[in-house]
Structures are given as structure tokens and as C-alpha cells.
Amino acid sequence: MVSTRIDWVREHCQLLRAISAEFGRTRPFDGLTIGTGIHLEAKTVALLLTLRDGGARLVSTGNLNTTQPDAVDRLRAEGVTVIGEPTKDSEVHAGYLGEVLAAEPDLILDNGGDLFAGYLDRPYQGLLGGTEETTSGRMRLEPLRDRLMRPILVINDSPIKQFAENEHAVGQSAVESFQRMTNRVTNGEQVTVFGYGACGRGVAACFRGAYARVSVVDIDPVTRLRAHLDGFSTPPRDTAVAEADLIVTVTGARDVLANAGHFPAEIDAAGLIGAAEVSGTREYADDLLTLELSDGRRIHLLARGHMFNLAGPRPLGNSIESMDLGFALQARCQEAVARRSVDATSCVVPVPGSIDAAIARGYLDRKYPR
């Protein structure tokens, strides 16, 4: 019998395997429903099955343009309720999120703030709190603290998540995905990275490591100075765009300009396609779209502005080890909320330091057993 990629991932998620075995004994989620809206791919399967092993009933849906059918099939076979199918339609996706909330989960595992924002539109009794995965979601939920009034731990604000996944793994997966989707060279190409947070730093560094020439655009002059001192060129925005062979956005903001941030709104794809300068379009396999401009130039849009390191042919996303660390944080934070070890004063705040330390020790102990 040939094992699947999901089996390969679960075998190498050593932290989640250990937590899963512990949860099987301690059952922190007995009697609780966890509603999730997160990219459904092989590594997410490992996380959700870990929560299930802790006694949770799971009601899950994916994100736009990243849901992988084999992950859905496996989760359903394992008894997880999965809402919907892969979609690029934001209205269809909103309907799937509504179905998750209709189950009135006790805990929410959110990715971009969609479920918590939806809860405020249709509140119900019994929500204990939960987790938010992304910076994009934290920016969305921070102004809503006074209405949420529940513990919501932001995974992306953990230093482990910042350096392990965002800085190292996002950059690695962005380069890998660009090459896989386009089969184009990076050597000597001019790459412009919009945003120089942890993800932007990783993307810039990894493209430089792939022998590209890299420039950085950021609205914060201090951050721009950091990029300059890190050895990247930091020209004005219009100059950087005009010179770029490839533009990657990692800002979390809308309408910036291949997107490696969470929301597809970073690139106004509809606006680009409908621009007066576009004389025609050409679609290729593997989620590639070419815009032909009236002056003869061409713009290639990867994954129609969606998160391109989880789109296109055979999407792999970030490395297994980085996601094992990040999802171990998720599992422990969900446990903390379920056990009421955090309260409403922890509304949209970073992962507790004690959890960070425990995850770091667990990972290193497996690398350097005593």
C-alpha cells in the first residue's frame, strides 16, 4: 500500500504527534465544538486531527482558492464535518463560513478574522473564544475588542511563528511556488517585495538567495531603512514597480498591487484585468493569467491575486517543520481557552510566553534528546 502525502506530513509533524497522544489521554475538548476557517491542506489535516483526538467535534471550512480536495476527503473520512468545496468565489466562501457559525462552535480557530467578525453579526450563547492565525486577522479584530470580549490568542504574534514560519518558511515557499508555477528563472531577475515585516524579510532574503536582484517597498521609513541596511535596494514605489520583473506583496493591506499575504485583496485583480490599458487576456493552465497591454507589454498574474504559495499545481505551502511549530501553538492555545486558563483580558493578544517556551523546548528536545 502506498501512503499519501498527508501520511508523510503527519509522520514528520513530531510536535503535533506528541500533543495528539497527550490529548488522547487528557481530552481537553470533550463536549466542545471547534469551528475552523483555515487553509485545508495536508498540514492542516494534522492539526485538526490533533484537536479531534482531544475530544473536539470539528466543523471546518477552507479559505479562498487554497482548499485541497485530498485534504477534504481525508478529514471527512476521519469524521470531521467539512463545509463546502474548493472555491475562488468570495460569496460562496462567505456562505461556507456562515454554515460553520450556524453550528454555534464553542471555540473558533480563525484565519483572517472571518469567523469572529461573522460571529459579531450573528452572536450566539456559549462562545468561549479561540485563536486567530494571521496578522491580517489581528489587524481586523483589534478594533473589535470591546465587542468580542473573549480570549482570542493571535498565533502570528508569537516570536516562534514570526521567525520559524513567516521569516523562513514563507520566503522558501514563495520561491519554490514561483518556480513550480512558472518554470521561470530567478537568477538576475529584478524582484520587488512590497512589505518588509517578517514575511517580507523572508521573501526578500530567499529570492536574493536564488540569485535575484531584490528591491523592497514599505510605507514605514524606519522599516525601509532596515531593508536598506540589510542590503536591499529601497527605491521609491513607482521606480520599484517600473523596474520589476516580479512583484510579490506581503503587506496584509488592500489593493497593494504574486501575493504571498493571506487575503487576495492585496492585489486588485479585477481592476488590473479591467484597466483601459489592457487590450486582451490569455489564460494558461496552472492558474496563470497574462494581461496583454496596448503598448505591447505583458503582465502575468499568478493565482489571480490569491496566496500563490498555496495555489497552482501541487501546492505545498510552507515547510512541514515550520507548520508543526505553528500548529503546535494553535493546539496549545485552543487548549488554554478550553480550560479557561486565559480570560477576556486576553482578547486579541499574542500567545502567552509560557506556551512559546513549552513549544520551543519540545521542538529542541526532539532535535537534541537528553
Side-chain angles (χ1 to χ4, degrees):
M1 173 179 147
V2 177
S3 297
T4 67
R5 185 161 64 89
I6 292 172
D7 298 317
W8 170 264
V9 167
R10 293 187 73 190
E11 178 183 344
H12 289 86
C13 282
Q14 296 186 32
L15 287 172
L16 284 179
R17 284 170 57 198
I19 293 171
S20 180
E22 176 193 325
F23 280 0
R25 299 188 300 270
T26 61
R27 307 286 289 183
F29 307 115
D30 264 349
L32 300 178
T33 297
I34 302 178
T36 78
I38 194 168
H39 306 292
L40 292 182
E41 49 103 17
K43 294 175 283 290
T44 318
V45 172
L47 168 62
L48 297 184
L49 295 184
T50 297
L51 300 176
R52 181 210 60 183
D53 291 345
R57 171 185 174 242
L58 286 156
V59 181
S60 304
T61 195
N63 287 148
L64 281 169
N65 200 27
T66 61
T67 297
Q68 297 179 13
D70 57 342
V72 173
D73 292 344
R74 181 63 168 268
L75 288 168
R76 286 175 173 160
E78 295 275 1
V80 174
T81 299
V82 180
I83 305 296
E85 305 294 340
T87 183
K88 300 178 184 179
D89 188 313
S90 57
E91 290 187 10
V92 171
H93 176 57
Y96 295 159
L97 293 167
E99 289 186 56
V100 172
L101 290 171
E104 299 191 354
D106 304 283
L107 298 162
I108 285 175
L109 192 159
D110 213 350
N111 198 41
D114 292 316
L115 288 172
F116 281 116
Y119 161 78
L120 291 178
D121 292 334
R122 293 188 297 172
Y124 56 85
Q125 294 295 318
L127 178 64
L128 300 176
T131 56
E132 164 54 45
E133 175 78 6
T134 65
T135 297
S136 307
R138 188 246 296 151
M139 292 164 61
R140 184 178 182 183
L141 297 178
E142 277 178 333
L144 304 175
R145 279 194 181 111
D146 290 344
R147 296 175 60 197
L148 288 164
M149 291 297 292
R150 284 165 175 79
I152 301 172
L153 304 178
V154 181
I155 307 302
N156 211 45
D157 287 344
S158 160
I160 293 174
K161 178 74 158 56
Q162 287 289 303
F163 60 68
E165 185 177 345
N166 295 351
E167 190 156 351
H168 292 298
V170 170
Q172 182 185 51
S173 68
V175 173
E176 183 274 328
S177 297
F178 170 76
Q179 293 175 324
R180 172 171 41 81
M181 293 178 73
T182 68
N183 200 211
R184 297 286 304 277
V185 70
T186 55
N187 306 62
E189 296 296 282
Q190 179 64 56
V191 177
T192 293
V193 178
F194 271 71
Y196 200 66
C199 292
R201 292 194 297 273
V203 170
C206 285
F207 272 102
R208 179 165 63 184
Y211 300 99
R213 295 173 296 121
V214 181
S215 63
V216 170
V217 176
D218 199 289
I219 60 173
D220 184 336
V222 176
T223 304
R224 185 178 171 195
L225 174 62
R226 178 176 181 175
H228 171 78
L229 295 178
D230 285 345
F232 299 104
S233 63
T234 55
R237 181 192 63 183
D238 290 352
T239 301
V241 170
E243 294 176 345
D245 297 304
L246 170 66
I247 296 171
V248 183
T249 66
V250 273
T251 67
R254 293 187 65 89
D255 301 342
V256 179
L257 259 179
N259 172 31
H262 173 68
F263 285 116
E266 289 201 33
I267 297 175
D268 182 8
L272 281 175
I273 295 168
E277 296 85 354
V278 175
S279 59
T281 61
R282 182 179 301 175
E283 292 197 52
Y284 298 89
D286 300 338
D287 226 356
L288 299 172
L289 176 68
T290 294
L291 310 181
E292 298 171 337
L293 306 187
S294 53
D295 62 5
R297 291 179 299 162
R298 294 181 298 167
I299 296 173
H300 309 294
L301 186 60
L302 305 186
R304 288 185 174 266
H306 288 263
M307 192 177 188
F308 80 107
N309 49 344
L310 267 176
R314 199 169 181 263
L316 298 177
N318 294 333
S319 63
I320 294 171
E321 289 81 2
S322 70
M323 297 303 293
D324 190 27
L325 283 162
F327 284 166
L329 291 169
Q330 277 279 13
R332 289 301 189 194
C333 287
Q334 287 282 330
E335 179 190 27
V337 177
R339 293 193 183 282
R340 279 73 160 181
S341 7
V342 287
D343 59 24
T345 61
S346 297
C347 186
V348 195
V349 301
V351 173
S354 58
I355 293 179
D356 281 323
I359 296 301
R361 279 194 300 268
Y363 187 87
L364 292 172
D365 285 349
R366 283 164 176 76
K367 293 294 182 183
Y368 304 101
R370 298 180 187 276

